Amino acid sequence: MRKLLNTLYVTTPEAYLSLDGENVVVLKEDDVLLRVPLHNLEGIVTFGYTGASPALMSACAKRSIALSFCNAYGRFLANVMGETQGNVVLRRTQYRAADDDMQSLGIARNILIGKLHNSRWVLERATRDHSHQIDIARLKKVGHCIMDAITNIQSAQTHGALMGIEGESASLYFSVFDELILQNKNSFFFRERSRRPPMDNVNALLSFVYMLLAHDTAAATSTVGLDPFVGFLHKDRPGRRSLALDLMEELRAPFADRFVLTLINTRQLDASCFEQKENGSVLIRDGARKVLLSAWHERKREQIMHPFLKEKIEWGLVPYSQALLLARFLRGDLEEYPPFLWK
């Protein structure tokens, strides 16, 4: 199993990234803010607007270090990709599978089964752990509806039918998401999902963490030799890392959503951590991002038992394990793609 290395997150907007020998150097004007050896890193995510030197981008590409550029809201802008890993046979198999409606549908179906299963278990965990603070009947009702949706997914025969079921299930899940917020309800509440831009504190956190997860899943697909831009659930769109978004679906609820809820319910963040713009959009302040990213780094190092592999791995390696399992399926080593089924 691959070793989990560090990801460098650069949150200072004016920071410029450069290369000095075997080190990435973070600069603000002429001041050196940080110096990190490249061999300690598996990824770099920067939220600045000044960019990175060509020498650093080349070094990251040669070492397969995922380098992603995001705007102030955490929206993905671009990334640097090095030499493609794996072999051309695997990627050609991936392309043929994506073009085959039935094979693509089978993979997409399993991905959504994983997503809905995990969403339901987030709600089930809440009814068990916080029975005196939430509306159990309401969450149970939604959980039963999601179970019915899983049954419908198993018999869906078109991509459009799958997406319709997924959309309805996501709406149901988010309709009770506010029940899972147990602290500081004046500052943290959830009415509906707003993305570009986020219009409240909770949506700002969700969008930011989803971006972090998308970075990790994209890096994982590239590492095992798959093309992150060719997916099965998310269809091709120029510039969109469709396969990364596919594998991310299974991990939204158990990994990203639970992480956001932990930050809120343990009071690691408060209203002062956010800034509201004139258009109503909400931005996470720089100091709060550092708290969030430190907690994200720690969460990635927590160990879980992988439900299919039956071995303990770190949360941060789950995207890699799922990408590896997908590659094994495409090679013919597995009968079907096994989604990540969390409990």
Side-chain angles (χ1 to χ4, degrees):
M1 178 59 71
R2 178 170 174 261
K3 181 181 178 182
L4 180 64
L5 296 175
N6 296 314
T7 299
L8 173 63
Y9 301 100
V10 182
T11 61
T12 304
E14 304 86 0
Y16 181 76
L17 280 64
S18 67
L19 181 70
D20 182 11
E22 292 295 310
N23 302 287
V24 55
V25 179
V26 182
L27 300 167
K28 184 178 180 181
E29 296 180 349
D30 295 328
D31 296 328
V32 176
L33 302 182
L34 186 68
R35 183 186 299 269
V36 181
L38 287 173
H39 68 260
N40 288 338
L41 298 175
E42 65 178 0
I44 301 173
V45 183
T46 178
F47 303 92
Y49 50 78
T50 55
S53 71
L56 177 64
M57 289 189 281
S58 175
C60 289
K62 289 179 180 177
R63 294 163 177 79
S64 297
I65 298 174
L67 173 57
S68 295
F69 298 91
C70 304
N71 69 7
Y73 291 99
R75 182 179 178 184
F76 172 79
L77 298 175
N79 69 324
V80 173
M81 298 179 64
E83 181 180 353
T84 305
Q85 303 295 311
N87 60 70
V88 68
V89 175
L90 173 61
R91 293 189 296 280
R92 285 175 63 87
T93 302
Q94 177 189 356
Y95 301 149
R96 287 194 295 269
D99 288 337
D100 185 305
D101 289 341
M102 293 310 297
Q103 192 169 4
S104 179
L105 185 70
I107 298 171
R109 183 185 291 122
N110 283 8
I111 287 171
L112 286 186
I113 287 173
K115 176 179 181 175
L116 269 59
H117 169 95
N118 295 336
S119 298
R120 174 178 172 266
W121 273 101
V122 167
L123 303 182
E124 288 290 329
R125 278 278 190 99
T127 61
R128 184 193 69 187
D129 298 340
H130 308 288
S131 59
H132 299 297
Q133 297 173 272
I134 61 177
D135 187 340
I136 293 179
R138 189 180 176 206
L139 264 66
K140 288 285 189 183
K141 181 179 179 180
V142 169
H144 289 314
C145 290
I146 292 177
M147 277 293 294
D148 292 339
I150 292 174
T151 301
N152 294 335
I153 281 177
Q154 292 172 332
S155 59
Q157 295 301 310
T158 66
H159 184 268
L162 280 183
M163 296 305 293
I165 297 169
E166 187 276 336
E168 293 176 3
S169 300
S171 295
L172 283 170
Y173 170 75
F174 279 121
S175 73
V176 294
F177 195 77
D178 191 64
E179 290 280 346
L180 309 181
I181 300 171
L182 308 176
Q183 301 290 335
N184 202 359
K185 298 284 283 190
N186 290 330
S187 300
F188 296 100
F189 53 84
F190 187 89
R191 300 293 178 263
E192 63 181 357
R193 184 78 178 101
S194 57
R195 297 174 176 82
R196 299 177 180 175
M199 302 302 287
D200 57 61
N201 297 345
V202 177
N203 271 293
L205 289 172
L206 288 173
S207 292
F208 190 83
V209 173
Y210 288 162
M211 180 279 304
L212 297 177
L213 183 56
H215 167 87
D216 291 347
T217 53
T221 56
S222 295
T223 298
V224 303
L226 294 168
D227 187 335
F229 291 91
V230 178
F232 304 97
L233 176 64
H234 295 84
K235 294 302 182 180
D236 295 349
R237 181 185 299 173
R240 183 168 75 176
R241 300 174 294 181
S242 296
L243 182 61
L245 296 177
D246 283 359
L247 296 183
M248 176 180 163
E249 292 296 341
E250 302 165 34
L251 303 179
R252 285 182 186 267
F255 194 10
D257 294 355
R258 289 178 65 244
F259 172 74
V260 167
L261 291 168
T262 297
L263 290 177
I264 297 171
N265 292 336
T266 57
R267 294 183 176 273
Q268 296 183 56
L269 301 174
D270 57 30
S272 67
C273 297
F274 302 87
E275 176 185 355
Q276 189 166 36
K277 298 294 187 178
E278 292 182 358
N279 64 354
S281 62
V282 175
L283 180 66
I284 305 173
R285 296 184 186 275
D286 186 48
R289 287 188 188 184
K290 293 176 181 177
V291 172
L292 185 156
L293 291 169
S294 177
W296 177 252
H297 180 74
E298 293 302 315
R299 177 60 63 90
K300 286 173 66 174
R301 294 197 174 277
E302 290 182 5
Q303 287 198 334
I304 62 165
M305 179 65 71
H306 192 283
F308 181 81
L309 298 174
K310 303 300 181 185
E311 63 179 86
K312 285 189 175 182
I313 66 171
E314 295 166 308
W315 260 118
L317 287 176
V318 173
Y320 171 77
S321 71
Q322 293 308 118
L324 188 62
L325 290 170
L326 178 58
R328 289 178 180 173
F329 163 70
L330 291 172
R331 290 191 185 102
D333 299 332
L334 296 172
E335 291 186 3
E336 61 180 347
Y337 167 68
F340 180 78
L341 303 177
W342 175 81
K343 278 191 178 182

